[in-house]
């Protein structure tokens, strides 16, 4: 399969073309869901559970209904009459247990923040006024909060029907790990605690549902990553003909996986529109976001690594415990973080003996879902920390230790002991480039000099891999109705401009700009000659949407195929008009040109005009086909994902008196396959890194022993702000995948995946001479000080 | 969330505002900069019957210099303090604290009177006022009274201000030419409230030989630890009359550990906060010692 | 018992009068009553900066002001300063550097950054970071935003130098 670009014209792919979508956005002229006002629209607010675990004994809404402006109030039972529950089970994993989930709580509440009652009023303020007038009697039950505790025999069961709080357990074993550990000269061990965090998209989750009771059709505007998934869900669960359901995702103010899921409150809003026949708007406020947007991480990991005297990794073992809230997310499941943790930790390294186990437990906290990077940041942090410990055990430089243990360049294609298939990675090249970029040797000297002055600086290096664009072999067997195909329709307009309808959706990643570049390149037109339409299940081809860094790789490939077909259709018409063979022609600078010498023959606009208005000038049997649709789905005989890779480095200073960490510099060398737009890729990496740094240093959902979230506000849940973040230097290596013509792999999660690990390594590098190591993130001043204190005892 | 229902009066004179306060008592809430109050309204943590807006009252704002003192109107915005030359010259402690207070848009509206009335235990201005021995002028229908900053803060978000009183003016003695000061706070992000902070002023007895130089006066205030700014009276008493050196610093840290009783919050346990306070004390004393010349 | 008041103020150069519920914050009023949806809401607590506008020439959080308090004020929003061309160069730099991704933070970020680019002195990257430290951006990681502000300011300073009478 060829990755060759047409050589006869200047390439647009690979250029840092600015995103045209930004023109309106920087003027404040975007259109986000909450910006939309529909006539007769009602505002919806929820009464949410104040308790983590309780039986609902009685709900009294009489007084609330009498409050000013209140139009309707619905309970779980009201909504359940027209809406079926969903379930986070997977057909091919019979051991994975999950309870059915209803839009609103039915007999019991299972986390603080679970929606119970929907209040619809003329204004949001009025709906909120009525909250105090809804009276709910609860019978409080003991809350299952601690993941270890959840597995104890005495633990209360969250869903008695499941018979256990253990959702699933997965094991991987390769080679003979026990024997290898027994024989090894050095075995290093460590425990890790990963705090719970959440996505904190700046635009909260938002939905407007507009059900037309006359035509029994439903239009939903939703701040979401997958309009198709939601169309399918509304059609299935609300029993509306799918062709009458249309989901539109207008501008979306950040998503990161938070907006990929099925949320009870959003479905309840849609159901409320069906029940009332009026448009209904629900926009989560920030406090609701904290207790209802999907959370992530919350893992306890134990790991061991065996290493030989000459610094070769021989065996590795990971035991992961993952707490996921009270339900598995339907269609996305709750096991993925755990699975990725045990399949991807230390995956860039060549060792043969491995054992991985993950246990997934339910607890009475908000649900865990697929937040940027999913389990890969955990895998990276565990793997890279263990590698640092192993390097220290054999007194090797951690960078050289990595180089020595990386999968060799001649070993591809390669399947790791953990079970991942790598087509081709560029580990060695990335590391070499990083070493030069960061001036590694000089930096180590500087670090040493500072240490002598009592200043503790750390250098961290973290190698990461990023599985992107999960395909049908992954999702298909789950029967989860997740589409992994992407589609693209191209329409040549009479003026020679092009409309592109893609199934990819946009939350700011720049995917649609990349797609425009692909189309522009293939059709020999400018990016400004293309307008991209996306995020509308009613008009664009069906697809998955945007998740798992799939936009460029999948939707880009579909666009490439469509553009090549449209090009050939255009040239066929042009050839007829010019009395030449299509093979003799090419498209360049909006003209039809001779392939052999580039000489211009006619304007593309002229062909477009004739094809649309003057078909009388064409041969009788020639049908101009100026609208083309193509799809892309990964082949079934290749792995169900592409694997991108890269390496990050951090240089930071730990104030050993206060535990405050100052970030000095940060570098990343990333290989995301074929690069469509380097600027967009850089910014994806930078933004992802800062999100990861947020998780590493600042972000944590604090819960008390009763399952109450203690910091559900932006004043108390700290996110990274500009002052503390470093400048980030990004470079690239390009190893295109050969599984597609385009060769792009994906980059949306790379920065985040490596960042927690690189911080962990850097901090422990700084603390190592003091004999201290951190075992728990986020690395708050207290965590650092505690680690230091232990060394004094 | 959206604010609950309330009434709103834009008071145009102090008398009008005080009259309304008298009338509504604890059901009324003054709104100054709104940078704390509006958030609590939006979260429905506060449900007053009436808001009395004091922003249109003339004469409540501005920084003035008298012979001995600096007078700051309660409605003076954080930004005015930050930009004020008078503050830079005569209240260097406040000048060094202001960049730590919130962010530009919040400073543009937030007021000193609001900050002091709010009495957040982790806020900078209450601590500085205690360190600088400021006095607060409180007005009500029955007249005016003056309360020392050191008596004003009574607990978590509570002060000696009565429901019918408005804080109108803050008076702070000018910094003497020889006076030294130190301000530092520990937080994880610029502009956040402090995890632990320290504000201090000191005066030095002169002496030609550095060993003869000693502390004549010292006031150290720790904030972010207890339910209000904590003046370390015992610790300071112990240090006054000494010249600062390694031994006195060690002893002072021990004193602090006896004197300070931090409460845990999300930013740290009590023992963590106590440790951080000793770190700040040490840094403050080292800085003073360097200024004095007893340690280089 | 919905309390309302009549207010009159200058909005983006135009005189506006309107009746507003007294409990409504200015951000909601601008967005939902006047349709100026460029001012965004991310927290209603003053923390995220998405709602930053300009009141009487200074940046302010519109979620921490009541609409009634705008009475008699001069209010400018992203729509106003975009239309006037005041920050056209800054917006251009934001586009050129991809300093906006989802762009939900961008209007507030631009309002805050606008303070910085009118000066006569260069501003360090650290000072730029400090100035925008109250504006949350989840997407960009801030680096490109700092770049865009820095380069706008530097270009303005350079053109002031070459054209001293200008501005
Ligand atoms: C994101 C953010 C970060 C912040 N960071 C900091 C920080 O780091 N440090 C810090 O100190 N502050 C910080 N603040 C708070 C800010 O400084 C507030 O401006 C200040 O605490 C309150 O002042 P205000 O004028 O806005 O008061 P308002 O919010 O108007 O009022 C606060 C309280 O004081 C009462 N009140 C106000 N004025 C008077 C008066 N003259 N007489 C009697 N009672 C009165 C009110 O009734 C109300 O109860 C932050 C705020 C935000 C939103
Ligand atoms: S919405 Fe106003 S600061 Fe966040
Ligand atoms: S660009 Fe998305 S929040 Fe800043």
């Amino acid at each position: 399969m060829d990755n060759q670009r047409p050589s006869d014209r200047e390439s647009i792919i690979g250029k840092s073309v600015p995103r045209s979508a930004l023109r309106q956005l920087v003027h404040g002229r975007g259109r986000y869901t909450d910006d939309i006002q529909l006539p007769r629209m009602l505002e919806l607010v929820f009464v949410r559970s104040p308790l983590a675990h309780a039986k609902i004994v009685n709900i009294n809404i009489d007084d609330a209904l009498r409050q000013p402006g209140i139009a309707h109030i619905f309970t779980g039972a009201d909504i359940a009459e027209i809406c079926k529950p969903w379930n986070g089970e997977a057909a091919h994993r019979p051991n994975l247990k999950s309870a059915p989930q209803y839009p609103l709580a039915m007999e019991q509440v299972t986390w603080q923040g679970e929606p119970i009652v929907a209040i619809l009023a003329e204004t949001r303020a009025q709906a909120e006024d009525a909250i105090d007038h809804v009276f709910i009697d609860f019978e409080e039950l003991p809350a299952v909060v601690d993941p270890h505790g959840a597995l104890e025999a005495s633990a209360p069961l969250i869903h008695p029907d499941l018979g256990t709080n253990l959702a699933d357990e997965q094991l991987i074993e390769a080679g003979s790990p026990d024997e290898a550990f027994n024989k090894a000269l050095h075995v290093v061990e460590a425990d890790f605690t990963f705090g719970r965090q959440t996505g904190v998209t700046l635009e909260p989750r938002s939905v407007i549902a507009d059900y037309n009771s006359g035509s029994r059709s439903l239009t939903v505007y939703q701040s979401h990553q997958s309009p198709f998934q939601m169309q399918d869900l509304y059609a299935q669960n609300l029993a509306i003909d799918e062709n009458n359901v249309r989901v539109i995702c207008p501008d979306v103010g950040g998503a990161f996986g938070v907006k990929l899921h099925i949320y009870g409150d959003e479905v309840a809003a849609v159901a409320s529109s069906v029940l009332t026949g009026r448009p209904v708007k629900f926009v989560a406020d920030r406090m609701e976001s904290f207790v209802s947007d999907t959370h992530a991480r919350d893992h306890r990991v134990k790991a061991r690594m065996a290493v030989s005297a000459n610094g070769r990794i021989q065996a590795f073992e990971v035991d992961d415990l993952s707490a996921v809230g009270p339900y598995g997310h339907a269609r996305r499941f709750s096991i993925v973080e755990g699975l990725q943790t045990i399949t991807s930790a230390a995956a860039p390294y060549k060792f043969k003996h491995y054992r991985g186990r993950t246990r997934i437990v339910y607890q009475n906290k908000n649900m865990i879902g697929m937040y940027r990077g999913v389990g890969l940041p955990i895998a990276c942090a565990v793997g890279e920390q263990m590698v640092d410990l192993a390097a220290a055990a054999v007194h090797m430089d951690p960078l050289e230790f990595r180089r020595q243990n990386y999968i060799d360049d001649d070993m591809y294609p390669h399947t790791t002991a953990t079970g991942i298939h790598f087509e081709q990675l560029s580990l060695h090249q990335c590391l070499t480039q990083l070493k030069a970029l960061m001036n590694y040797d000089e930096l180590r000297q500087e670090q040493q000099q500072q240490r002598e002055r009592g200043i503790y600086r750390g250098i961290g290096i973290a190698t990461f891999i990023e599985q992107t664009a999960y395909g049908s072999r992954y999702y298909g067997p789950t029967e989860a109705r997740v589409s992994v195909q992407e589609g693209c329709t191209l329409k040549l307009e009479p003026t020679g401009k092009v409309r592109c309808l893609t199934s990819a959706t946009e939350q700011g990643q720049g995917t649609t700009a990349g797609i425009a570049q692909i189309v522009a390149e293939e059709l020999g037109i400018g990016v400004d000659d293309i307008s991209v339409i996306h995020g509308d299940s009613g008009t664009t081809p069906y697809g998955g949407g945007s998740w798992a860094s799939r936009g460029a790789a999948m939707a880009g490939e579909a666009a490439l195929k469509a553009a090549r077909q449209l090009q050939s259709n255009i040239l066929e018409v042009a050839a007829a008009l010019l009395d030449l063979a299509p093979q003799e022609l090419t498209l360049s600078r909006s003209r039809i040109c001779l392939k052999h010498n580039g000489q211009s023959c006619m304007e593309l606009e002229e062909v477009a005009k004739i094809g649309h208005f003057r078909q009388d000038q064409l041969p009788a049997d020639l049908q101009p086909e100026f609208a083309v649709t193509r799809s892309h789905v990964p082949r079934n005989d290749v792995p169900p994902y592409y694997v991108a890779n890269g390496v990050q480095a951090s240089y930071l200073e730990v104030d050993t008196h206060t535990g405050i960490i100052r970030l000095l510099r940060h570098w990343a060398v990333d290989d995301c396959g074929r690069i469509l737009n380097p600027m967009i890729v850089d910014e994806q990496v930078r933004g992802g890194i800062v999100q990861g740094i947020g998780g590493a240093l600042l972000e944590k959902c604090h819960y008390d022993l009763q399952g109450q979230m203690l910091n559900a506000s932006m004043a108390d849940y700290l996110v990274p702000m500009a002052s503390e973040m470093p400048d980030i230097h990004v470079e690239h290596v390009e190893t295109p995948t050969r599984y597609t013509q385009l060769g792009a792999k994906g980059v949306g999660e790379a920065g985040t995946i490596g960042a927690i690990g690189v911080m962990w390594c850097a901090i422990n590098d700084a603390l190592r001479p003091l004999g201290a190591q951190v075992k728990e993130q986020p690395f708050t001043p207290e965590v650092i000080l505690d680690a230091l204190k232990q060394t004094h005892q | 969330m959206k604010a609950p229902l309330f009434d709103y009066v834009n008071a145009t004179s102090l008398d009008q505002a005080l009259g309304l306060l008298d009338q509504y008592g604890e059901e009324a809430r003054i709104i100054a900069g709104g940078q704390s109050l509006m958030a609590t309204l939006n979260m429905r943590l506060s449900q007053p019957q009436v808001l009395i807006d004091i922003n249109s009252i003339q004469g409540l704002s501005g920084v003035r210099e008298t012979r001995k003192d600096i007078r700051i109107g309660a409605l003076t915005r954080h930004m005015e303090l930050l930009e004020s030359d008078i503050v830079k010259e005569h209240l260097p402690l406040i000048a060094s604290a202001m960049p730590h207070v919130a962010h530009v848009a919040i400073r543009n509206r937030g007021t000193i009177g609001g900050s002091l009335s709010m009495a957040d235990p982790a806020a900078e201005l209450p601590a500085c006022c205690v360190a600088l021995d400021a006095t607060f002028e409180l007005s009500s229908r029955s007249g005016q009274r003056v309360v020392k900053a050191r008596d004003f803060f009574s607990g978590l978000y509570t002060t000696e201000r009565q429901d019918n009183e408005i804080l109108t003016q803050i008076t702070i003695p000018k910094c003497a030419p020889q006076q030294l000061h130190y301000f530092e706070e520990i937080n994880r992000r610029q502009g956040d409230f402090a995890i632990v902070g320290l504000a201090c002023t000191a005066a030095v007895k002169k002496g030609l030989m550095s060993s003869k130089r000693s502390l004549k006066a010292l006031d150290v205030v720790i904030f972010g630890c207890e339910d209000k700014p904590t003046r370390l009276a015992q610790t300071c008493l112990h240090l006054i009359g000494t010249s600062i050196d390694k031994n006195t610093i060690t002893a002072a840290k021990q004193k602090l550990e006896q004197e300070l009783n931090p409460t845990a919050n999300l930013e740290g346990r009590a023992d963590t906060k106590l440790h951080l306070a000793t770190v700040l004390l040490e840094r403050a004393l080292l800085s003073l010692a360097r200024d004095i010349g007893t340690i280089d | 018992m919905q309390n309302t008041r009549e207010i009159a103020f200058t909005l983006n150069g135009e005189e506006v009068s309107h009746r507003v519920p007294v409990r409504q914050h200015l951000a909601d009023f601008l967005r939902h009553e006047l349709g100026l949806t460029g001012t965004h809401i991310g927290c209603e607590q003053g923390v995220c900066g998405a709602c930053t506008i300009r009141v009487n020439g200074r940046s302010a959080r519109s979620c921490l002001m009541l609409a009634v308090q705008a009475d008699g004020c001069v209010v400018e929003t992203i729509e106003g300063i975009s239309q006037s061309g005041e920050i056209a160069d800054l917006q251009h730099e934001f586009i050129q550097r991809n300093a906006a991704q989802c762009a939900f933070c961008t209007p507030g970020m631009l309002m805050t950054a606008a303070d910085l680019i009118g000066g006569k002195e260069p501003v360090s990257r650290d000072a730029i970071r400090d100035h925008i430290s109250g504006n949350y951006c989840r997407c960009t990681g801030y680096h490109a935003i700092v770049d865009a502000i820095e380069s706008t300011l530097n270009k303005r300073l350079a053109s002031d130098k070459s054209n001293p009478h200008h501005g």
Side-chain angles (χ1 to χ4, degrees), chain C residues 87-106:
Chain C
I87 55 161
D89 49 352
L90 182 63
Q91 288 164 320
H92 178 75
E93 291 294 333
F94 263 63
I95 296 171
Q96 290 303 310
R97 289 161 195 278
N98 210 38
Q101 289 185 25
C102 80
F104 202 75
C105 70
T106 308

Side-chain angles (χ1 to χ4, degrees), chain A residues 255-425:
Chain A
F256 316 115
V258 167
K259 294 176 183 169
L260 177 60
H261 296 290
I262 296 161
Y263 289 94
D265 51 18
E266 294 178 20
V267 180
V270 175
S272 299
S273 178
V274 176
L275 285 170
T276 60
R278 288 176 70 170
V280 171
K281 178 190 270 188
F282 164 64
V283 178
D285 71 29
R286 186 55 62 188
M287 286 184 290
E288 293 185 282
S289 302
F290 276 112
V291 295
S292 63
D293 286 11
T294 196
H295 287 184
R297 326 292 186 231
D298 204 356
H299 288 238
R300 316 284 179 281
V301 180
K302 271 184 183 312
R304 308 199 277 163
M305 188 173 267
V307 59
S308 69
N310 61 355
R312 310 248 166 221
I313 302 172
Q314 290 172 320
F316 186 40
E317 182 171 324
V318 174
D319 189 9
D320 169 59
L321 180 65
S322 153
V324 296
Y327 294 95
H329 266 298
R331 303 187 184 210
R332 303 288 163 176
F333 324 110
S334 44
I335 58 171
V336 190
E337 275 201 1
L339 272 183
Q340 287 196 329
T341 301
I342 61 169
T343 54
S344 304
Y349 302 94
K350 48 184 181 203
F351 52 87
K352 294 206 174 69
H353 309 289
Y354 178 67
R355 180 181 299 121
R357 173 173 80 148
T358 178
R359 286 171 299 160
I360 294 100
V361 301
Y362 290 125
Q363 60 179 167
N364 292 115
K365 290 186 188 176
N366 185 16
M367 288 163 71
I368 293 278
M370 291 189 154
Y371 168 57
R372 202 172 195 178
V374 198
L376 295 173
I378 295 164
C380 174
V382 170
E384 293 300 289
Q385 253 304 284
M386 295 311 292
V387 163
D388 269 6
L389 291 176
V394 295
H395 306 290
M396 269 185 78
D397 175 83
L399 190 143
E400 287 314 316
F401 184 90
R402 283 174 169 78
R403 190 194 305 284
Q404 167 172 315
N405 282 287
Y406 276 164
I407 297 159
D408 298 328
D409 282 343
D410 59 9
M411 288 168 70
Y412 298 103
H414 178 79
T415 303
T416 65
T418 62
I420 304 185
H421 182 84
F422 295 143
E423 177 199 9
Q424 178 86 51
L425 303 184

Side-chain angles (χ1 to χ4, degrees), chain B residues 30 32-37 78 102 106 110-111 114 117 123-124 167 191-193, chain C residues 46:
Chain B
I30 290 164
Q35 302 302 287
S36 295
L37 182 63
H78 299 329
I106 290 149
T111 67
S117 307
E124 294 81 3
L167 172 59
D192 281 359
F193 285 101

Side-chain angles (χ1 to χ4, degrees), chain C residues 40-51 61 63:
Chain C
H40 295 156
I41 292 177
C43 70
E44 299 182 291
Q45 213 190 336
V47 188
C48 76
C51 68
R61 302 285 203 243
C63 71

